Amino acid sequence: DILNLELLDKSLVGSKCSDGSQAGFYYQAPPTTNGQTNYVINMQGGGHCITQSSCQQRTHSALGSSKYWKQTMSGGGSYSNSPSENPYFYDAHHIFIPYCCGDWHIGQVTEPTNETWGLYFDGHYIVKNILDVLIEKYDISKAKNILINGQSAGAIGTFMNLDFIADYLNTTENGIRIKAAPNSGWFFAGNTSDQRSQPMMPPNDYEHYIVMNDATNGGWGHDSSVPDLWDAYLQPNCVEDLKSKGKDTWHCFSVHNLYPYIKTPVFIMNNQFDSDEITNEMAMPNVVNATTEQYVEYFGADMSSSLVNYLM
């Protein structure tokens, strides 16, 4: 149960990890001929980077440089060829996309600048370039079934790139059934209890909600700074609709706002009380006391409100 590394050609625009090393993917052929028209594409998770120090730190690991990637990796979960571990998707082409740009797989910075601290954010173009290889080398355009999935940042990337992948592969015209199963990618929530007049805004972080007594809205996701840094790919239908309504299009950067524009079927898996989001993204201290319990309750209620807004 082994997947082999394939790096993208150096001549391709949009094929770099953060440090300029070549991005790529791991591939495993289906174990039988019955799986030749089935494909599973998994996008790796691993947080993100939005500051110079955090982005540069990632270049010293596999999350920012392919220099640290091994030539092979073991299959697992939806990209395992074991019938006992992966009974529904074991017999398929398995594609694992390593995460090496810190940009949720949606960046479009193909030339480093001072504003990006000399780093690449190629995530979306990496997905596109991998699709080209899968078309030319592994006949994905002849697929019958495609499953796109990922966890955490890879799940966000699944939401963000899903319709692009479906359109790029002409799934409707080619009779391909494509679906997605992102795990822990509902980021950010919306419809928050304390921002009723601004339902597209994410939850306030711990500092703004607790320390500042919810007097001022804030925390990352409340402005366009991160999508601007990454030159993020934003779903065109979402962008066009918000623009027509005179609203800021960067709101499409939040899955809560993006979701109603997604055409491809999605099975959503998400923890109401995601500990990573609460402690790392919302900067809540990792201790148990009255104020952290109050924040966890606030965050969980907002996550529930956000999901129920579309799923009821």
Side-chain angles (χ1 to χ4, degrees):
D1 199 358
I2 298 295
L3 287 78
N4 294 291
L5 176 63
E6 299 191 27
L7 294 178
L8 293 170
D9 190 280
K10 292 182 179 180
S11 65
L12 294 173
V13 175
S15 63
K16 308 292 186 185
C17 295
S18 291
D19 69 336
S21 58
Q22 286 307 112
F25 63 99
Y26 288 87
Y27 173 79
Q28 179 185 60
T32 79
T33 56
N34 293 330
Q36 289 297 325
T37 55
N38 301 323
Y39 294 76
V40 176
I41 300 176
N42 184 279
M43 297 186 192
Q44 184 184 19
H48 51 255
C49 70
I50 59 177
T51 65
Q52 182 175 1
S53 59
S54 65
C55 291
Q56 289 180 338
Q57 183 178 13
R58 290 171 75 96
T59 64
H60 301 290
S61 74
L63 290 174
S65 175
S66 62
K67 297 174 184 177
Y68 300 92
W69 295 355
K70 297 181 179 179
Q71 290 300 307
T72 61
M73 64 173 287
S74 299
S78 64
Y79 52 93
S80 169
N81 67 5
S82 167
S84 59
E85 180 177 355
N86 187 21
Y88 297 106
F89 301 104
Y90 77 93
D91 198 6
H93 300 263
H94 295 144
I95 299 97
F96 180 87
I97 302 179
Y99 184 38
C100 69
C101 284
D103 60 5
W104 296 352
H105 302 274
I106 62 172
Q108 300 180 110
V109 177
T110 61
E111 291 292 338
T113 65
N114 290 334
E115 287 72 25
T116 65
W117 314 299
L119 302 175
Y120 294 84
F121 294 106
D122 269 2
H124 174 68
Y125 286 125
I126 290 170
V127 172
K128 181 262 182 190
N129 282 319
I130 289 173
L131 290 177
D132 284 335
V133 176
L134 297 178
I135 292 169
E136 296 169 10
K137 189 174 180 180
Y138 296 113
D139 291 328
I140 195 172
S141 58
K142 298 179 182 178
K144 291 183 178 179
N145 302 291
I146 300 175
L147 174 68
I148 314 293
N149 64 2
Q151 186 168 1
S152 187
I156 303 172
T158 298
F159 278 115
M160 297 286 182
N161 285 293
L162 180 55
D163 280 350
F164 169 81
I165 295 172
D167 291 342
Y168 199 76
L169 296 177
N170 295 311
T171 54
T172 300
E173 294 84 350
N174 290 329
I176 300 171
R177 183 169 62 170
I178 181 170
K179 298 183 179 182
N183 185 350
S184 304
W186 196 269
F187 191 73
F188 303 88
N191 265 1
T192 66
S193 59
D194 58 338
Q195 300 173 100
R196 291 302 189 194
S197 64
Q198 297 177 293
M200 291 193 294
M201 285 295 190
N204 286 306
D205 64 10
Y206 181 84
E207 179 180 359
H208 287 82
Y209 186 74
I210 296 294
V211 179
M212 299 174 65
N213 199 28
D214 206 19
T216 305
N217 295 330
W220 88 278
H222 279 79
D223 60 35
S224 67
S225 58
V226 176
D228 288 346
L229 170 66
W230 297 345
D231 189 17
Y233 171 80
L234 302 177
Q235 212 257 26
N237 290 339
C238 179
V239 169
E240 290 172 11
D241 188 50
L242 293 192
K243 185 182 295 184
S244 72
K245 296 175 179 176
K247 298 180 180 180
D248 292 325
T249 57
W250 61 262
H251 285 296
C252 297
F253 184 70
S254 170
V255 172
H256 171 83
N257 302 319
L258 164 68
Y259 182 74
Y261 300 96
I262 296 176
K263 299 175 293 184
T264 308
V266 182
F267 183 84
I268 300 168
M269 296 172 280
N270 214 86
N271 190 331
Q272 183 180 0
F273 303 96
D274 189 310
S275 60
D276 179 74
E277 286 191 32
I278 293 172
T279 57
N280 291 332
E281 312 308 334
M282 300 302 171
M284 187 194 80
N286 194 13
V287 297
V288 178
N289 56 39
T291 55
T292 57
E293 288 179 355
Q294 179 185 353
Y295 188 78
V296 168
E297 182 178 348
Y298 160 75
F299 182 91
D302 288 343
M303 180 64 74
S304 178
S305 175
S306 179
L307 286 163
V308 169
N309 184 68
Y310 298 121
L311 303 182
M312 292 296 288

